[in-house]
Every structure is written in structure tokens, then in C-alpha cells.
Amino acid sequence: MQYDRIIKNGIVILESGEVRTDVAIKNGKIAAIAPDLNGAHEVIDAQGLIVSPGMVDVHVHISEPGGIRCEWEGYVTGTKACAKGGVTTFVEMPLNQLPATTCGDTLRQKYAAGEGKLYVDVASFGGLVPYNLTNGGIEAQVKEGVTAFKCFMATCGDPTLEGDFANVNDYALWEGMRQIAKTGKLLAIHAENAAITDMLGKQAKDRGETRVSQYVATRPIFTEVEAIRRAIFFAKQTGCRIHICHVACPEGVEEVIKARQEGIDVTCETCIHYLYFTTDELDAIGPLAKCSPPIRDKQAQDGLWKYLFSGHIITAVSDHSPCTYEMKNKTNAFDAWGGISGVQNNVDIFFDEAVQKRGMSLKQFADIIAKNPAERYNLPTKGSIQIGKDADIIFIKPQSSYVVRAEDLEYRNKFSPYVGRQINAQVVRTLLRGETVYNLTTGIESTPKGSFIRR
């Protein structure tokens, strides 16, 4: 046979737009795109389905190797959730695991921890922290194959844990940008003003405040905007390419727009949960919906949708950041872990909210979940259905309603703020390099087929 398998009868999202055509796969690659293809060992009937490139999620946390955090999320559970949710590639953050990924040795430890456990493909962030600027840590991570780097301007990490991540001060941010600029890699930045948000949080807790909405008030929009503006200014001084993570307010996007007009190489993302939830829902949900930057009000959400449709936000990510239930189940939201588990349902939610409810074109949908992040993070074999690229393909059934149930989640800790929500679209099959890794009827394939991507 000429091909391993052919996809027929579906609406296929190509870089030029959607079309009803056949897609042939050979040796894990897309081999042909044309009507009436024949000569395959297997024919996949996609009648009634949208055939889309798999999601490239550039913001996912896995906690392996984990140390005392080993119960948060592992490679098996996290990548199974991705396969089930239509995420065929993700870029793994350098923190939450212990030791954090900040040098060549810790990166090798991470690769070893994931060996034989990956159900999807995984690229890696290297960490920029104050303690790896004078020991060759940046260059060592480049040699070990990181796709990009990540730093925190907001407070993070536990200084009592050896090897944990740490946020940068202004000097470390500037010097780190200088070093990363020489490598040509991208620096992704968690941009919030640490000093102000830390003090506002302490003051609120001292007043006896406990609710999630009160936590949101301690991280006002200006603390996000100021940090974005500062990061952009440092990027202008150093020539470092930067990407602003999880922008939660339109004012933050506007800083990126202005900088791009000045020729600065900066992009930004938002998160699915910012596009789905609003602040007035949070107290009813509780700390399961606590994250930073926080979920903001309807006006902010509307502004994010506006800039997503206009192309100024290049992608929408999960920022999947799990922990144990005990760390979320707190009566005081200020004591709870800040992070949302959502990677398994994000493609479904985004298709429903963007395409079905707001009229986004299928081409723009695929650009946002796949093409744009693959291009920005230099993943040339990923991101689109195109001859010669990896056959990472998902099949979405529109107008297919289901309710998110905890028992259906593949996460190590089966909770999410999306539990109980009705979603009206569903990934029914996932191919990774041409091989089925998930099917709604038969479940997740038993043998892991994913691998680490080293750039």
C-alpha cells in the first residue's frame, strides 16, 4: 500500500482554510492532501467531524521528578489527559518539579523521569533564575535542547526547598535577557509586580479576608501592566525575544501592541480559563479557580476576546498547574495553591466558545491552538496539516454535548473548576505522528507513543 492510513469525508482545516478533502499519512508524516486518495492500510472515516491540527499548548506544568511534589501531576497522567483532550504537543514549564529545570543536569534528570511515559510529544522550557546566571546554566540548557526559557517576575518557589524555582529581580531579569538574547531563544515571562502583589495579599489576609474574589482584588490590573511594561523595556535594551504568559487583562495586551509597533519582538498569550470564567463566579467555585494572574471581570474578558479575534493575542493556553486536593481545599483562598487543572477539556471548551458561540473561523481556531504557538516556539514539524509535517491530527465532533465529570479526568488529582460544566463539542480521536493515541470509543492507547522534542 502507498499510505499507512487515509482520512476521508471530514472537513479538514488547512493553513489556507477549511476544505473537504482527504489526508494521507505515511511513516508518521502527512504524505498527501487531495480528494479521492486511495491505497492505504487503514481508512479513517471522518464524516461529520472537523479534522484539525492537534493543539500545541505552550504552557503546561508537570511535577516529575517531584520530590515532595510527586503527587501533583506525573508524565503518565498529564500526557494521557493531553491525548484525551487533543493536545498533541506541549512545552513543559521548568517549575513545580523538584529539582526545577535550571541547568543541564536537572534537564537530564527530567528527560530520564519521563522516559517511556509520554503519550504525547513534549518540548521543554529552561529556567531563568537568579542562581544560574554565573555558572553557565543558560548555555547548558540550550545544549540539552530546550525550546525556550521561562522566568517569573512574581514571587514563586519555596526558598526552604533545595533546587526549587525562584523569581528574578530586575538585575537577574536584565542579565538573563542579555544571555538568552545571545542564544536566539525566546524568553516567556510571568509578569506581575512581586512587591506590590505580595504586600496587598499580606494586608488582605491580615484583615481576615478569605474569599477568592478578595484574592483577585490583591492583584489589580496595574500590577500586571507595570510588569509587562518593564519586561518590554528590558527586552528593548537587550534585544531578547520575549513572550508574555497568561495575560489576563486587555490593558496588558495593549502594551504588547504598542511595543510591536516600535519593532520589539514580543508576543503574548491568554488562558482558556480567562475566556471562560469571570470574577463573579469565583466565590461559588472556591479555590479550585484560584490562579495568578487572577480571573478578572466580564469587561476584561470581553477585551481579551476582542484581541484574540484581532490576532494581537497569538494563542490561548491551559496553564495546566495541578496540585493535590488538600492544597486546594482551603477555607481561606489565600492559603490555597494558585493553579488550574484544565488541559484535558480546553480544546473542547475553546471550540465551543470561540467557533460555535462567537463565530470564529475554523482557520483562526487552528491558528490559535496550533500554528501560531508552533511557529513562535520554533517547532517546525508541528502546528498544521501540511505535507511533510508530523501527522498530529485531532477529530472534533461539533454540537456534541457532555458534562465534565471528575471520574473522567485523567489527571493524577481528579478535580477541576470545569467539573459540572456542560461543553458542546468533543475531541473524539487523537493521532500522534499518524498513530491513534486516543479514541472516544476505545479510550487511550495502552502504549505510550510520545517523545521529548529537543531543539
Side-chain angles (χ1 to χ4, degrees):
M1 293 289 185
Q2 186 176 0
Y3 305 116
D4 296 325
R5 50 194 55 86
I6 293 174
I7 301 165
K8 287 183 170 290
N9 302 322
I11 297 174
V12 182
I13 311 176
L14 303 176
E15 289 191 355
S16 57
E18 65 268 22
V19 63
R20 192 173 291 277
T21 191
D22 297 348
V23 179
I25 299 165
K26 181 74 171 179
N27 297 328
K29 300 287 186 180
I30 297 167
I33 302 170
D36 303 319
L37 293 174
N38 292 291
H41 293 285
E42 179 188 6
V43 173
I44 299 174
D45 185 1
Q47 184 67 44
L49 304 178
I50 304 298
V51 181
S52 169
M55 183 173 181
V56 178
D57 190 338
V58 294
H59 202 133
V60 173
H61 294 268
I62 301 291
S63 305
E64 195 172 351
I68 65 170
R69 297 175 183 152
C70 62
E71 295 303 316
W72 290 18
E73 186 71 284
Y75 282 115
V76 171
T77 51
T79 60
K80 278 187 172 182
C82 288
K84 195 170 185 177
V87 177
T88 50
T89 302
F90 67 82
V91 188
E92 183 192 354
M93 285 289 160
L95 68 158
N96 292 7
Q97 63 270 62
L98 280 174
T101 306
T102 58
C103 65
D105 182 58
T106 53
L107 191 55
R108 288 188 293 271
Q109 289 181 51
K110 183 177 82 76
Y111 290 147
E115 186 69 30
K117 298 178 181 178
L118 307 182
Y119 286 79
V120 299
D121 286 349
V122 179
S124 301
F125 278 102
L128 164 60
V129 291
Y131 57 79
N132 70 354
L133 293 174
T134 59
N135 60 4
I138 298 299
E139 186 59 37
Q141 292 176 90
V142 172
K143 290 178 180 177
E144 290 294 334
V146 298
T147 296
F149 285 89
K150 170 70 182 291
C151 72
F152 264 65
M153 296 173 74
T155 299
C156 71
D158 183 343
T160 68
L161 291 177
E162 184 179 355
D164 203 7
F165 210 76
N167 50 290
V168 292
N169 56 27
D170 282 353
Y171 172 76
L173 178 61
W174 174 77
E175 174 59 23
M177 281 190 182
R178 288 198 332 129
Q179 293 186 23
I180 292 167
K182 294 175 184 176
T183 74
K185 298 286 186 181
L186 186 69
L187 174 63
I189 302 171
H190 180 131
E192 289 181 287
N193 183 296
I196 296 174
T197 55
D198 287 353
M199 184 55 70
L200 291 179
K202 180 181 183 302
Q203 291 170 349
K205 194 172 180 183
D206 288 347
R207 290 192 298 268
E209 296 179 4
T210 62
R211 300 195 309 273
V212 182
S213 60
Q214 292 170 322
Y215 163 79
V216 172
T218 68
R219 305 182 92 88
I221 284 173
F222 83 85
T223 61
E224 193 178 348
V225 173
E226 184 279 330
I228 293 171
R229 187 176 295 170
R230 184 162 26 115
I232 288 170
F233 182 74
F234 284 12
K236 184 177 181 179
Q237 306 310 306
T238 61
C240 186
R241 302 167 57 237
I242 65 171
H243 178 80
I244 307 300
C245 296
H246 41 48
V247 178
C249 60
E251 294 89 342
V253 183
E254 287 157 9
E255 295 297 323
V256 173
I257 294 171
K258 287 187 289 186
R260 288 181 62 80
Q261 290 170 345
E262 296 175 16
I264 299 169
D265 192 347
V266 55
T267 51
C268 66
E269 70 191 30
T270 192
C271 296
I272 305 293
H273 44 265
Y274 299 143
L275 301 170
Y276 187 82
F277 298 108
T278 52
T279 308
D280 58 3
E281 302 174 84
L282 301 186
D283 288 341
I285 299 170
L288 293 186
K290 177 187 175 183
C291 60
S292 64
I295 292 166
R296 303 198 187 277
D297 60 19
K298 182 67 164 57
Q299 182 178 352
Q301 185 185 79
D302 288 345
L304 292 175
W305 275 111
K306 170 189 169 184
Y307 286 130
L308 193 67
F309 269 90
S310 68
H312 292 108
I313 298 172
I314 69 164
T315 188
V317 301
S318 67
D319 190 6
H320 181 66
S321 184
C323 63
T324 62
Y325 184 67
E326 290 71 27
M327 296 179 67
K328 275 290 194 184
N329 187 30
K330 305 288 186 181
T331 55
N332 189 331
F334 288 88
D335 295 330
W337 173 255
I340 285 179
S341 298
V343 72
Q344 183 171 312
N345 302 106
N346 277 181
V347 171
D348 299 344
I349 291 167
F350 189 60
F351 188 91
D352 191 18
E353 294 293 322
V355 177
Q356 296 183 156
K357 293 183 180 179
R358 291 174 174 82
M360 180 178 284
S361 71
L362 291 176
K363 179 187 182 306
Q364 186 173 26
F365 166 81
D367 287 349
I368 288 169
I369 70 162
K371 180 175 180 287
N372 294 346
E375 289 181 348
R376 185 60 172 161
Y377 279 81
N378 190 28
L379 300 170
T381 67
K382 306 295 186 180
S384 61
I385 298 176
Q386 182 179 331
I387 292 173
K389 292 204 173 190
D390 289 349
D392 296 347
I393 296 172
I394 61 176
F395 300 78
I396 302 169
K397 186 175 182 181
Q399 306 299 336
S400 177
S401 180
Y402 73 100
V403 174
V404 179
R405 304 186 305 170
E407 57 265 35
D408 295 330
L409 297 175
E410 297 294 331
Y411 312 141
R412 178 167 286 173
N413 297 279
K414 299 181 184 301
F415 63 85
S416 169
Y418 297 113
V419 168
R421 300 285 176 142
Q422 182 171 320
I423 305 171
N424 199 28
Q426 193 165 15
V427 172
V428 297
R429 188 167 183 170
T430 302
L431 303 184
L432 178 68
R433 283 177 271 109
E435 299 287 335
T436 296
V437 293
Y438 168 72
N439 188 305
L440 180 63
T441 304
T442 58
I444 298 168
E445 290 295 307
S446 58
T447 303
K449 295 182 171 68
S451 62
F452 283 111
I453 300 169
R454 308 190 194 202
R455 298 296 304 147

